[in-house]
Amino acid sequence: MRRRLVLVGALAAVLAAGTACGGTSDDSTDAAGASAEKLVIYTARDKKVADYVVEQFTGKFPEYKGKVEVLNLGAQEILERVRAEKANPQASVWWGGTQQGLSAGAGEDLLHGWQPAFASKMDAKYRDPQGRWFGEILLPEVIMYNNKALTPEQAPKDWDELLDPKWKDKIIIRDVAASGTMRSIYASMIQRQSPDGSNPQPGYDWLRKLDANTGTYAANPTDLYLKMSRQQGVLSAWNLQDILLQANQSNMPFGYVMPASGAPVLVDGLAAVKGGNTAGAQKFIEFLFDDQLRATLAKDYFQIPAVKIANEPQWLADLGLKPMDVNWDVIAKNETEWINHWNSQIKNKG
């Protein structure tokens, strides 16, 4: 009996030492003794934005240093991945998604509902009433052009001008099905001609004419930027923030036109994935709505905050945004059907 007690005591001492050294734990610990589980983020944000925010986050919360893993995907790809992983969630944060995509995720019970402090400052139309997703930024969708190939005067002034035969094979489009941005632009082009969504055919006809002028479909945003900069095409449709980021931080030859009939303005948001690291996700999301961070992201990264900031940067004050009248509820109801039809019946057939 005494020998058994000695062995049990020795084993307990070894286990205690192992725990103290962190030998079997995946947690990191800061000087104050706080620990953090790994935080996996699926994001559709530009890599520069994601890298900057994560650096600031881990600077404020050092217990997360080395514990944040970021995977860059298209917004639609994030929805499909979170959906596929429902039984065994791998991500904790879905950062960057359209209102309709996030609403679909909420409806499929993929997202964790809560009520953070910043929610009371947010317009109700920019958040889920049950706190399952929150709008972070507003993304105007505009006409993009290569400003070394075209002058502002030569660039199209409105959406319908993209259908002019003179632009045949001079348009590059980010492949639509995987992109929340492109799905929203294409769905808006259909919905503007069928306000209640009941007759998408005029919109399909419009997209067929655009397809006829499209020289190539880019696999991802990086591919789009490279093709545009090399003048493999000189026009596209894309979100304003990424155009400004590429032009001002990567010296890409990009300009934009605010369409005369209006720009679809997306509510681009984020959510905590149900079944993930909820505590870490909530801390990260709260951090994203820090006033100082939002001011920096507006000034240096061309974001339009969904919650107003005290001092707008000059570029935002001078923007002259003209929103298109878009019914996002109609789009949310019909987007999947419309984009599937485009993908199977229109793409590369115009």
Side-chain angles (χ1 to χ4, degrees), residues 76 152 166 203 262 283 287 290 347-348:
Q76 182 66 20
K166 72 180 181 181
K283 183 168 286 190
F287 176 73
D290 174 83
K347 181 182 179 183
N348 292 323

Side-chain angles (χ1 to χ4, degrees), residues 15-16 31 42 50 93 95 103 114 123 180 235 244 249 259 261 279 294 299 323 327 333 350:
L15 290 174
Y42 291 169
V93 178
W95 179 24
S103 294
W114 59 303
D123 191 311
L235 290 172
L244 293 174
Q249 295 191 2
S261 61
R294 289 189 303 122
K299 178 178 178 291
N327 189 324
K333 180 180 177 181

